[in-house]
Amino acid sequence: MIGCGLIFVAQWPRLMRTAQAEQDEFSRLVAYALLGWMIIWPLVFYGAAGIVHAVSRLAGGHGTAYGARLALFWSWLATAPLGLLTGLLAGLTGSSALANLAGVVWIGVFVAFWWLAQKEAATMPRTHGL
């Protein structure tokens, strides 16, 4: 939730730019972003972690569903500063090549972190009694 909260805050500069450019209400845009980042995206992440865990188990992994969720959420939190940078650039420059490049780097780093963390989580043996 902290990672999603940081990304929600990162959206504010872009939302303010959009509100000014399109004569829209900033508070309405923030409310929609709050719903998306604090309610919907965590559910999507839980689903994605479950799917990745199931695929990992089918491929012979020994990890737990908790390990898969932990790998995803810590990877998201670790890359949140890049999300903040992306949001800042989107707010300052709009939908520019620089903002898009920062977004691509952010998602690439997230996928790399998640891949490595999931790989480690899948090799961890199950411990009984915890």
Side-chain angles (χ1 to χ4, degrees), residues 77-103:
L77 183 60
T79 59
L82 289 171
L84 289 166
L85 175 65
T86 302
L88 179 66
L89 289 173
L92 292 174
T93 64
S95 186
S96 68
L98 183 61
N100 291 337
L101 177 64

Side-chain angles (χ1 to χ4, degrees), residues 12-100:
W12 291 358
R14 181 187 58 81
L15 294 175
M16 179 57 79
R17 183 180 186 89
T18 302
Q20 289 175 348
E22 297 177 4
Q23 302 299 321
D24 205 349
E25 288 185 38
F26 176 69
S27 60
R28 185 178 67 81
L29 296 175
V30 167
Y32 290 151
L34 177 68
L35 173 72
W37 282 109
M38 300 306 288
I39 305 296
I40 295 171
W41 275 108
L43 295 174
V44 170
F45 288 154
Y46 272 103
I51 290 169
V52 167
H53 171 65
V55 170
S56 174
R57 294 287 294 172
L58 289 173
H62 300 289
T64 63
Y66 174 74
R69 289 190 309 269
L70 194 65
L72 186 140
F73 286 116
W74 274 110
S75 299
W76 186 252
L77 183 60
T79 59
L82 289 171
L84 289 166
L85 175 65
T86 302
L88 179 66
L89 289 173
L92 292 174
T93 64
S95 186
S96 68
L98 183 61
N100 291 337

Side-chain angles (χ1 to χ4, degrees), residues 52 71-72 75 108-122:
V52 167
L72 186 140
S75 299
V109 170
F110 166 69
V111 168
F113 279 12
W114 186 21
W115 175 267
L116 294 171
Q118 179 58 36
K119 188 173 153 184
E120 183 66 28

